[in-house]
Amino acid sequence: MSGLRIPVQMLGQSGCRLVFPTATVYVDPYLSNSVQEIDAADLVRQVPIPYAPEAVTDADWVLVTHEHIDHCDPHTLPKLAQASPRANFVGPAPVVEKLREWGISAERIVLAKEAWFDLVPGLQLRAMPAAHPEVERDAQDNLAYVGYLLDYSGQRLYLAGDTMARQEIIDALNSLRPIHTAILPVNEHNFFRERRGITGNMSVREAFQFAEEIGVKQVVAVHWDMFAINAVDPDEIRLIHQRMAPNFNLLLKPTVINLGEIDVSIVIRTLNEAQYLESLLVNIASQKTNGLRSEVILVDSGSTDDTVQIAERYGCRICYIKREEFSFGRSLNIGCEAARGGVLVFISGHCVPTDEHWLQNLCQPIRDGIADYSYGRQFGGAQSHFSECRIFAKYYPAQSNVPQEGFFCNNANSALQHSVWAQHRFDESLTGLEDMELAQRLVRGGGKVAYVAEAGVFHYHHEIGPQIRRRFEREAIALQKIMPQVHVGLLDTLRYIAASVWKDWKCARRNPVGQASFGDILLYRWNQYLGSCKGNHQHRKLSHADKEKFFFPE
């Protein structure tokens, strides 16, 4: 199933780069400022040029939908053809004529026709009619404007090009169903654009109705970001999708197009989580996701209560890890290996989402291409330690930060691009903080982490003193690898305990929540900082008994 996750780079306007296992396909690459230089000085490019056309050395096929210069670019295609000498070009008759004028040899040019042909084994292409603003054909019945249908491993991807909604096009597409994903323009035709000579395409609503008519599972909205006069606010696109509630997912600037049947894999690590697991699974089942398809994968490390039975009742895919092989990173890697979704969601078995939009909100920055890793807000429950509620409030504020600076995140409530996990994987040697360690490597490599306050969960801990101490101790051991410059001495520990107890008690008197007694605050903070200090000074290799103590506290 991983082969159906197709990496994609959106190039702005309608352009994109699709990386199939055996071919890299460029569609309408506009990698210059030719519109401003040739057409109109005020049509300033809003999307940065991702790379120069002469840097494109990996193209196998270039699909061009029509002859307008923001799709068939005279400053891009000749240079790309030189940089990628093995690349072949497909286009309608007016495009073919231009390519020949630019010196691209006839052997590399294929006329777009309404019949299937192989790009490479396992990847087929056929042209579809496009209306810009009407479907046009020449005397030989060749189309002037086209879209493309790609068939890869039995899954079909529709690249509409510039088109209005027309019954002829809908009928042609419906005759070739099922179509999994459609890349559709949403820059509507209107009077003011037409006055400037801009034809325009479907409106957002029209594009979504069009997608419903052809029965696709997800839509990538394009042609909304390049020029100010032709722009559509992405929040407007999302809002219309939310209000119309169609039967497909919406993607804006995706980095992967998942042609499989699962969009999101929710991975839950469990050990005797029966107390809250059913509430979690019921909540997952009731999420409103506008058609986002999810699966739940449980990775159990030896539960002796009803955890596994509950998971079976709710149709979870269950994986097992032996107690002696357990680490937080290894457990997550097992779940990720079993996952079929393009986005991986991690949630603790003792967390419960606060509302029915949790999953959609948590995944949205990843699906929009804004971030590679996201994490959501956490709240304590009525029986939570007051000091823990204060920690949640400090690290998970009410305001989102998308994307954020730095690499802090927490896998009790997070989402990660599947391809990012495959590249980095979780460190299986750590005693905790595997989330921060992966995020640190990700950020160093240019990736982004997002904090989504709207994706909240209740995080229930019922730990006694020794369990609190061991949790902070094992996290401090892991922190040595992530941030070796952090040192905590005995005097620091005493100072932290005194200051935090005083601040907690002052806050508790003003706003009592959870267990707000002075004794509970003192007990919690004592164990927190004592464990942190001890873990910070732990440098020996952990024994089996140590691991049992940290991973399976009694």
Side-chain angles (χ1 to χ4, degrees):
M1 185 64 69
S2 61
L4 293 176
R5 287 189 292 270
I6 308 303
V8 59
Q9 181 181 13
M10 307 310 295
L11 304 175
Q13 202 72 327
S14 291
C16 64
R17 172 180 177 266
L18 297 161
V19 183
F20 296 92
T22 54
T24 297
V25 178
Y26 285 80
V27 182
D28 286 348
Y30 175 57
L31 304 175
S32 75
N33 286 307
S34 61
V35 171
Q36 184 181 13
E37 295 167 3
I38 297 173
D39 187 14
D42 64 331
L43 292 181
V44 179
R45 185 183 179 114
Q46 305 290 307
V47 179
I49 298 172
Y51 32 73
E54 54 267 30
V56 178
T57 59
D58 63 343
D60 295 300
W61 287 89
V62 180
L63 314 181
V64 184
T65 60
H66 61 288
E67 64 178 328
H68 293 166
I69 60 176
D70 55 331
H71 298 259
C72 183
D73 181 13
H75 294 176
T76 292
L77 296 183
K79 294 177 182 177
L80 187 153
Q82 288 186 340
S84 290
R86 69 175 181 275
N88 294 309
F89 295 76
V90 184
V95 169
V96 168
E97 184 177 343
K98 285 187 176 292
L99 295 175
R100 288 174 176 168
E101 289 175 4
W102 296 337
I104 299 173
S105 65
E107 294 79 16
R108 301 175 64 186
I109 302 171
V110 179
L111 178 65
K113 289 185 175 291
E114 295 169 90
W116 290 107
F117 76 94
D118 288 339
L119 298 182
V120 292
L123 180 62
Q124 292 184 304
L125 178 79
R126 69 173 289 156
M128 304 300 299
H132 197 43
E134 300 297 336
V135 176
E136 294 184 22
R137 300 176 187 273
D138 63 18
Q140 288 75 44
D141 206 33
N142 294 317
L143 291 162
Y145 309 102
V146 301
Y148 293 103
L149 200 59
L150 282 165
D151 187 300
Y152 173 65
S153 296
Q155 298 294 332
R156 291 180 176 174
L157 169 63
Y158 172 50
L159 307 152
D162 276 10
T163 190
M164 301 283 200
R166 297 289 184 264
Q167 192 62 49
E168 176 184 349
I169 302 171
I170 292 171
D171 290 345
L173 289 165
N174 279 333
S175 71
L176 296 166
R177 291 176 69 168
I179 300 170
H180 188 284
T181 300
I183 300 180
L184 302 178
V186 296
N187 60 315
E188 66 180 36
H189 166 82
N190 64 42
F191 168 81
F192 299 101
R193 290 174 179 168
E194 185 178 29
R195 190 170 68 181
R196 280 296 311 271
I198 298 172
T199 304
N201 293 294
M202 295 181 281
S203 69
V204 178
R205 286 184 176 276
E206 234 180 344
F208 289 171
Q209 288 173 314
F210 183 99
E212 288 270 68
E213 291 253 342
I214 62 175
V216 299
K217 298 177 180 179
Q218 59 189 6
V219 166
V220 182
V222 295
H223 219 308
W224 55 265
D225 58 353
M226 184 62 73
F227 303 112
I229 194 173
N230 209 20
V232 185
D233 190 318
D235 287 337
E236 178 186 354
I237 300 172
R238 294 187 190 102
L239 179 61
I240 293 173
H241 183 260
Q242 181 180 346
R243 294 291 174 83
M244 290 181 67
N247 243 348
F248 56 78
N249 301 327
L250 172 65
L251 304 178
L252 297 177
K253 293 188 179 296
T255 56
V256 172
I257 293 178
N258 182 7
L259 296 178
E261 294 301 314
I262 299 297
D263 302 301
V264 175
S265 297
I266 302 170
V267 179
I268 308 172
R269 292 177 297 196
T270 57
L271 174 65
N272 295 331
E273 300 284 10
Q275 183 174 0
Y276 294 108
L277 182 60
E278 187 157 18
S279 295
L280 169 57
L281 296 176
V282 168
N283 198 292
I284 288 172
S286 67
Q287 290 292 300
K288 293 184 177 178
T289 60
N290 293 326
L292 195 68
R293 297 176 300 279
S294 63
E295 63 175 357
V296 179
I297 298 171
L298 200 84
V299 184
D300 191 76
S301 52
S303 293
T304 56
D305 62 4
D306 290 332
T307 293
V308 173
Q309 290 82 356
I310 293 169
E312 289 171 344
R313 286 204 303 271
Y314 284 87
C316 300
R317 296 174 61 203
I318 303 174
C319 303
Y320 298 93
I321 182 171
K322 295 179 180 178
R323 188 176 177 122
E324 61 269 23
E325 295 175 350
F326 180 87
S327 73
F328 294 100
R330 186 174 298 126
S331 180
L332 283 180
N333 285 337
I334 288 172
C336 296
E337 287 168 353
R340 295 176 290 173
V343 178
L344 304 167
V345 168
F346 309 113
I347 185 167
S348 292
H350 47 271
C351 288
V352 178
T354 58
D355 62 38
E356 59 195 7
H357 302 291
W358 159 76
L359 186 60
Q360 182 81 33
N361 289 334
L362 185 64
C363 295
Q364 200 63 48
I366 295 174
R367 299 176 69 231
D368 286 351
I370 299 171
D372 308 284
Y373 205 170
S374 65
Y375 66 103
R377 197 174 184 185
Q378 297 184 31
F379 301 89
Q383 301 303 312
S384 296
H385 296 284
F386 180 81
S387 297
E388 184 163 63
C389 293
R390 291 258 293 160
I391 292 171
F392 287 152
K394 175 181 178 180
Y395 288 104
Y396 309 103
Q399 184 65 41
S400 292
N401 194 358
V402 181
Q404 69 173 26
E405 294 292 324
F407 55 84
F408 176 83
C409 64
N410 191 284
N411 273 347
N413 176 26
S414 68
L416 178 65
Q417 184 79 264
H418 194 289
S419 58
V420 172
W421 167 80
Q423 179 181 356
H424 294 282
R425 297 179 65 93
F426 291 106
D427 188 327
E428 298 185 0
S429 68
L430 292 175
T431 54
L433 304 186
E434 75 289 341
D435 35 28
M436 286 178 59
E437 193 277 338
L438 187 148
Q440 183 184 54
R441 286 184 279 131
L442 173 66
V443 170
R444 283 175 176 169
K448 297 291 185 182
V449 178
Y451 170 62
V452 187
E454 295 80 9
V457 299
F458 294 108
H459 192 161
Y460 300 109
H461 276 145
H462 300 295
E463 298 169 316
I464 59 175
Q467 292 171 323
I468 296 168
R469 186 167 63 251
R470 288 166 184 161
R471 174 159 62 93
F472 283 99
E473 183 179 350
R474 64 172 173 76
E475 289 184 352
I477 293 170
L479 192 63
Q480 290 183 61
K481 179 174 181 179
I482 301 168
M483 301 177 69
Q485 72 274 20
V486 175
H487 301 284
V488 180
L490 181 59
L491 290 178
D492 294 320
T493 301
L494 295 174
R495 186 171 71 254
Y496 296 156
I497 292 171
S500 60
V501 169
W502 171 245
K503 291 177 181 178
D504 284 0
W505 181 238
K506 282 176 63 179
C507 183
R509 294 179 66 183
R510 295 192 306 269
N511 182 30
V513 294
Q515 299 181 38
S517 70
F518 183 85
D520 182 77
I521 290 171
L522 177 61
L523 180 68
Y524 190 94
R525 292 298 191 178
W526 172 265
N527 283 290
Q528 174 193 356
Y529 288 110
L530 192 65
S532 296
C533 180
K534 187 175 180 181
N536 185 250
H537 293 273
Q538 174 71 268
H539 299 294
R540 62 185 176 85
K541 185 176 180 180
L542 296 180
S543 67
H544 176 74
D546 289 328
K547 292 179 181 178
E548 285 280 308
K549 176 182 69 175
F550 290 135
F551 296 140
F552 302 94
E554 297 299 332

